[in-house]
Amino acid sequence: MELGVMLAILGASLAVGMGGLGSSIGVGIAGEVAAGVIAEDPDKFGKTLLLQALPGTQGIYGFLAGFWVMLKINLLGGVLAVQDAAGWQILFACLAVGINCLISGVWQGRVAAAGIAMVGRRPDEAGKGLIYAAMVETYAVLGLLTTILLINGIKL
Amino acid sequence: MAIAQMQSIELLIHRSRIMDVLTLLQKQAILELIEQSVVTPTDSLQVAQALAFCERIFPRQKSFMENFINIKRLVRPQVYQRLIADKAQIKRVLLELGKLRDAWEELNRREQSLMQQELQYAVYTKFPITTKYLAHLKQVQVRTGLVPLKEYRAKSSVWNSLPQLAEVQEYATDLKYAYLGVIYHASVAEAVNSVVAQVSFTPVQLPETGSLAKDYQALTAELKQVRKELAALKKKIGAVYQESGVLLSVWADMLANRETLQAVMAAVPRSEQVFAVQGWIESSRYAELEILLKPYSKYTHLSPCAIEDKPPVLLKNNTLIRQFEAVTDIYGMPHSNEYDPTPLLSIFFIVYYGLCLSDAGYGVLLVFFSLLWLKQYRKHLTSYGKKLLTLNAFCGVSTIMVGILSGSYFGLDLQAIPFPAIGQFLLKMKIVDPIANPLPMLVFSFVLGVIQIYFSLWVKFFLDIKQQGWYVATILSGTWIYFISGMLLLLVTPLAKYIVWSGVVLLILTQGRHHKNPFMRLGSGLISLYRMSGLVGDILSYSRLFALGLVTGVLAMVINLLAGLTGQIPVVGFILMAMIFVAGHLFDFFINILGSFVHSARLQYVEYFSKFFEGGGRFFKPFSWQTKYITIDTDRK
């Protein structure tokens, strides 16, 4: 296999991997706190579940970026020829979503966890917790956006 | 932009009618009392405990939706009145449940202790000797006990150091322990002790009995009997609960509300004869309260009064706009002297939501689920829940429209669907393809941002006119509108640069007006230009609309692709394909409605509200009937 394709695949894997890593840590942190809140009051499951789901989006963004790369080089049908330079470009483009999702996933998880703890005491304010967590997500969205636009601009 | 006008009132009530009047107020939920804030509702003890006891033994099976919607027992008003009237019955039920509960707990304790004994006997039976037998021994002593098996194996040499007149016997081993007896002559007791101390030897005191096996049999028989009794008792409790569950729930809620009422009454300031209640009421309902108090006119006196505290806030909108209060409520209420931003965000919110979800198929799902749940849980939804679901139904419609315009139907490839005619028809209505050509949609998102931010400047301008007059408003916000309008016109004609430059000068001259020192004025004016970068940042934030829309669409495509791949597997392929298709799209749908709502709301709160809206008001919470267990079902159908 030529280097270009390999680099593109590395980019896709990094995007999916780092996004998934950020999300699994984030959802994990939120889940731990949620379990604690549920131990006190199982009726709050619905609200805590919504908050726990929020840091999960980074994994999806990473996955989408990875998929975008697959579409770009047509990995699922006959692979297109990718020049080495283009491969590097795709790899670098993937870092935008990867790094953003890795870090923001973890922090969004922490904010969501704090929101869940808040739901434990003031269940009516769950909506505010959701918004706080969404504030962090902005940067993951921007990362995904950048990666997609960059990849779109790359000539194979 | 409506906030209900609030009126603070004072209501004097003669002590002979205080209960009646407070009950009336609680039932009508018309007045927010000053004293109410000091009261925390408590569960009335006896009934609530009885209910909790029954629920502990017979936990209700909850559906998944109940995690989101609080479902209480529905009770018709007639039934409620009948149950509340019958004091003898609740007393009888409580007495009976009390007895059953005592019996239940007693039996539970016995079961626990028998189970404990059973565990001990499992240990005793490992030893072939009994205390009775040991009692015959005079010169010889036996120490029975257990040692962790691993340690027993590893330190087997320890036992070699036992004195001559002693020996260790291994009676049994299981996975964890070795069961040992150390037999020794009384004269070497000390030497034995020091040897035994080298291992973690847990002594076992054997029971004083003739036959372990017989005792054990008796024990299991008793345990069986206790369990039988428990099962019978559970049946009895179940029967009582089945029959009186409604009765208990009704009384629990009634008593809790009465306790709240009594706590409020205790907090109300009073003279010897008169209670003085102060509170807030919607001005428009003042007359209504007067009419309600008519029957007590000899004993009450209602009058407007001044209360130093800031009035609570209640939003008043028409049926359409009211649904959008679901967004405003999360942010919090406006100040009592501000305006309700709900109508101002409505159209933006609905459009943004549609762009984020962006798939006609999901739009249909959203409308379907919202209406389904509205109908199914109509009686159980809070007013907030109803608003939220109705709002989502609206947003479903906007999502369908966005989906049609972008040609997205569950992410399907319209060229390849089984009915080409339909595909062609749908394709004709498609005007953008965000996946093949992302830029136009991105630009469109920014345009929406510009529109909303520009609009927010005008809103601020009009609010300033209302609050501070034409002159201040023009200087404060008018200059900004002039400047930004110039920037926008620059897109049309280069001549607008004169507006922009004059705008810059105007801003530098005006924005520092709160400073006295002329240099500080100019400096402050210059710094105010920095706000421009904030505005640009705000507009960039709208790119999320495009990105989230893309996320939904691409994820839907991926799901179809995966489903298509499994479809090629022989035999099970079709089933797998259907499963992946349904589960995948439901996942994409739910994760994205969450994101769409939250991000559309965020754009209102952070980018939009920050330009003209402060918030921080207090919700209007009238003194009212609160229930935990029942919902009075006034529905005639």
Side-chain angles (χ1 to χ4, degrees):
Chain A
M1 197 187 276
E2 40 189 317
L3 181 64
V5 177
M6 288 197 271
L7 290 170
I9 291 176
L10 176 60
S13 299
L14 277 179
V16 180
M18 290 164 92
L21 190 55
S23 268
S24 26
I25 297 175
V27 175
I29 296 171
E32 285 174 359
V33 179
V37 169
I38 294 309
E40 292 279 319
D41 181 3
D43 290 345
K44 294 186 177 118
F45 177 69
K47 282 169 175 165
T48 52
L49 186 69
L50 287 184
L51 273 161
Q52 196 203 354
L54 268 190
T57 41
Q58 275 82 349
I60 297 175
Y61 297 158
F63 173 69
L64 284 184
F67 190 75
W68 204 256
V69 174
M70 292 182 218
L71 283 182
K72 179 81 178 178
I73 64 172
N74 202 20
L75 205 61
L76 300 166
V79 185
L80 300 175
V82 182
Q83 286 176 13
D84 293 355
W88 284 110
Q89 288 166 0
I90 291 177
L91 171 59
F92 290 144
C94 285
L95 293 181
V97 70
I99 296 171
N100 261 329
C101 285
L102 173 59
I103 308 285
S104 73
V106 176
W107 281 94
Q108 191 172 2
R110 296 178 64 160
V111 177
I116 289 167
M118 180 183 74
V119 167
R121 274 186 261 164
R122 311 198 60 157
D124 294 341
E125 306 294 349
K128 295 186 169 76
L130 283 174
I131 300 293
Y132 280 138
M135 298 298 287
V136 186
E137 184 159 314
T138 304
Y139 309 99
V141 175
L142 292 180
L144 174 66
L145 196 61
T146 308
T147 298
I148 284 178
L149 292 177
L150 284 173
I151 290 178
N152 255 37
I154 291 169
K155 285 206 176 68
L156 293 180
Chain B
M1 296 209 268
I3 290 179
Q5 176 84 32
M6 285 290 161
Q7 170 74 57
S8 49
I9 59 111
E10 184 174 60
L11 178 59
L12 303 177
I13 311 164
H14 187 258
R15 67 187 171 98
S16 63
R17 295 292 184 276
I18 180 74
M19 273 298 270
D20 298 352
V21 174
L22 283 181
T23 309
L24 177 79
L25 292 176
Q26 190 177 31
K27 209 165 136 199
Q28 296 294 329
I30 190 170
L31 194 63
E32 181 181 310
L33 305 179
I34 303 291
E35 285 76 21
Q36 193 177 311
S37 56
V38 298
V39 176
T40 46
T42 49
D43 267 339
S44 80
L45 230 52
Q46 209 188 358
V47 183
Q49 274 177 359
L51 209 51
F53 168 66
C54 291
E55 271 169 14
R56 204 177 66 217
I57 300 179
F58 298 97
R60 202 160 52 88
Q61 285 300 314
K62 285 188 175 180
S63 69
F64 183 72
M65 281 307 288
E66 279 191 61
N67 287 307
F68 302 91
I69 296 166
N70 190 1
I71 292 184
K72 303 170 188 170
R73 284 175 196 271
L74 290 173
V75 179
R76 295 190 168 282
Q78 311 89 287
V79 177
Y80 174 82
Q81 291 302 343
R82 185 165 55 75
L83 293 178
I84 286 300
D86 198 350
K87 271 192 190 169
Q89 199 189 357
I90 183 78
K91 269 191 186 150
R92 186 181 58 76
V93 169
L94 281 179
L95 200 70
E96 191 179 349
L97 268 178
K99 276 185 196 155
L100 288 173
R101 186 171 150 190
D102 289 346
W104 174 266
E105 273 166 10
E106 171 60 31
L107 275 178
N108 249 328
R109 267 198 294 277
R110 263 179 66 199
E111 191 197 10
Q112 289 294 325
S113 93
L114 285 173
M115 277 161 69
Q116 199 72 39
Q117 284 181 44
E118 198 181 24
L119 279 179
Q120 282 174 349
Y121 264 80
V123 174
Y124 297 155
T125 46
K126 302 278 186 194
F127 297 94
I129 40 180
T130 63
T131 319
K132 209 171 181 183
Y133 164 70
L134 293 176
H136 295 300
L137 299 173
K138 299 233 166 66
Q139 300 291 315
V140 175
Q141 292 180 347
V142 178
R143 292 181 62 177
T144 46
L146 38 88
V147 174
L149 192 60
K150 261 189 194 163
E151 192 181 339
Y152 177 64
R153 295 261 157 84
K155 289 189 178 175
S156 59
S157 57
V158 168
W159 305 109
N160 295 339
S161 54
L162 277 176
Q164 280 239 308
L165 290 173
E167 74 161 8
V168 62
Q169 286 201 336
E170 178 190 312
Y171 295 128
T173 54
D174 58 17
L175 288 173
K176 276 182 165 170
Y177 296 104
Y179 299 84
L180 308 176
V182 185
I183 305 167
Y184 55 92
H185 191 263
S187 60
V188 293
E190 267 182 37
V192 167
N193 275 345
S194 67
V195 173
V196 168
Q198 291 172 43
V199 290
S200 19
F201 184 88
T202 313
V204 172
Q205 189 67 45
L206 292 176
E208 295 187 20
T209 172
S211 160
L212 275 175
K214 230 185 203 169
D215 284 2
Y216 185 63
Q217 225 170 12
L219 189 70
T220 45
E222 195 183 349
L223 192 59
K224 212 171 159 188
Q225 178 61 26
V226 166
R227 286 192 170 142
K228 219 164 135 190
E229 281 174 39
L230 269 176
L233 195 58
K234 187 172 173 177
K235 242 186 201 160
K236 257 191 203 166
I237 296 169
V240 174
Y241 184 41
Q242 181 82 25
E243 193 196 310
S244 323
V246 180
L247 178 81
L248 287 168
S249 310
V250 164
W251 275 84
D253 270 338
M254 197 277 282
L255 290 175
N257 276 299
R258 186 184 284 172
E259 268 181 30
T260 313
L261 188 143
Q262 273 160 352
V264 166
M265 194 169 81
V268 170
R270 74 193 73 178
S271 69
E272 208 168 299
Q273 295 291 325
V274 176
F275 286 72
V277 175
Q278 285 191 329
W280 295 94
I281 186 171
E282 256 180 87
S283 303
S284 58
R285 296 186 73 183
Y286 187 81
E288 194 184 324
L289 181 60
E290 278 181 324
I291 294 169
L292 282 172
L293 291 172
K294 268 262 162 67
Y296 306 99
S297 57
K298 281 186 189 163
Y299 303 95
T300 59
H301 176 75
L302 177 67
S303 63
C305 77
I307 294 179
E308 272 185 22
D309 209 7
K310 277 195 184 133
V313 175
L314 176 70
L315 304 182
K316 280 235 129 163
N317 288 299
N318 61 37
T319 320
L320 187 68
I321 299 294
R322 191 181 311 137
Q323 317 306 329
F324 292 89
E325 288 172 8
V327 181
T328 316
D329 280 357
I330 293 177
Y331 188 84
M333 288 292 99
H335 265 309
S336 46
N337 55 3
E338 265 187 323
Y339 291 88
D340 175 11
T342 311
L344 295 173
L345 66 79
S346 54
I347 185 71
F348 290 114
F349 183 85
I350 212 169
V351 170
Y352 297 170
Y353 196 121
L355 284 167
C356 290
L357 200 53
S358 76
D359 184 287
Y362 292 173
V364 172
L365 282 185
L366 187 57
V367 174
F368 171 75
F369 279 116
S370 303
L371 296 183
L372 175 76
W373 288 332
L374 263 178
K375 188 169 160 16
Q376 196 175 350
Y377 299 105
R378 182 171 40 102
K379 292 172 182 169
H380 298 284
L381 284 167
T382 57
S383 68
Y384 183 80
K386 279 182 194 156
K387 282 190 234 171
L388 193 62
L389 282 176
T390 318
L391 177 59
N392 271 293
F394 290 173
C395 293
V397 175
S398 70
T399 307
I400 293 173
M401 296 204 289
V402 172
I404 290 174
L405 294 179
S406 59
S408 181
Y409 304 85
F410 292 111
L412 292 170
D413 183 356
L414 291 178
Q415 306 278 13
I417 61 173
F419 307 100
I422 299 177
Q424 286 310 314
F425 173 71
L426 295 178
L427 275 175
K428 262 186 204 151
M429 291 188 292
K430 174 173 169 176
I431 56 168
V432 285
D433 188 345
I435 294 177
N437 189 9
L439 271 182
M441 274 308 274
L442 181 62
V443 172
F444 180 63
S445 303
F446 289 144
V447 169
L448 281 175
V450 171
I451 291 174
Q452 194 177 22
I453 300 286
Y454 188 60
F455 184 69
S456 72
L457 294 177
W458 280 97
V459 174
K460 171 77 174 142
F461 180 54
F462 283 110
L463 290 182
D464 281 350
I465 291 175
K466 282 222 165 178
Q467 285 165 355
Q468 315 193 45
W470 274 98
Y471 175 70
V472 178
T474 310
I475 286 182
L476 269 183
S477 347
T479 43
W480 270 102
I481 293 178
Y482 179 74
F483 171 63
I484 302 287
S485 305
M487 298 280 272
L488 294 178
L489 279 175
L490 217 47
L491 297 171
V492 187
T493 160
L495 286 177
K497 66 182 174 196
Y498 299 111
I499 302 183
V500 174
W501 284 118
S502 56
V504 168
V505 174
L506 270 175
L507 284 173
I508 293 175
L509 288 177
T510 56
Q511 295 300 303
R513 59 188 277 280
H514 50 282
H515 288 291
K516 279 196 175 150
N517 181 327
F519 290 107
M520 287 293 281
R521 277 194 176 204
L522 285 182
S524 178
L526 203 60
I527 288 169
S528 79
L529 288 177
Y530 183 68
R531 186 181 172 203
M532 195 57 214
S533 75
L535 291 181
V536 171
D538 287 346
I539 289 164
L540 290 180
S541 177
Y542 286 77
S543 63
R544 77 185 67 232
L545 293 175
F546 158 69
L548 288 172
L550 201 65
V551 167
T552 321
V554 177
L555 203 55
M557 254 175 62
V558 175
I559 290 158
N560 292 338
L561 193 87
L562 288 177
L565 286 177
T566 51
Q568 294 156 7
I569 304 170
V571 192
V572 291
F574 182 75
I575 303 169
L576 264 180
M577 183 175 82
M579 275 166 53
I580 291 183
F581 187 82
V582 173
H585 281 297
L586 280 179
F587 170 75
D588 189 19
F589 171 66
F590 280 110
I591 198 86
N592 277 300
I593 54 173
L594 181 61
S596 301
F597 186 93
V598 168
H599 283 281
S600 305
R602 174 225 140 100
L603 284 176
Q604 314 302 328
Y605 302 152
V606 182
E607 274 74 22
Y608 188 44
F609 280 4
S610 59
K611 305 293 176 296
F612 64 91
F613 180 66
E614 204 172 313
R618 184 163 61 82
F619 279 92
F620 175 66
K621 286 192 193 127
F623 178 48
S624 61
W625 236 76
Q626 305 284 339
T627 61
K628 190 171 164 189
Y629 304 100
I630 60 163
T631 301
I632 302 280
D633 179 14
T634 47
D635 211 3
R636 293 262 159 237
K637 269 179 255 172

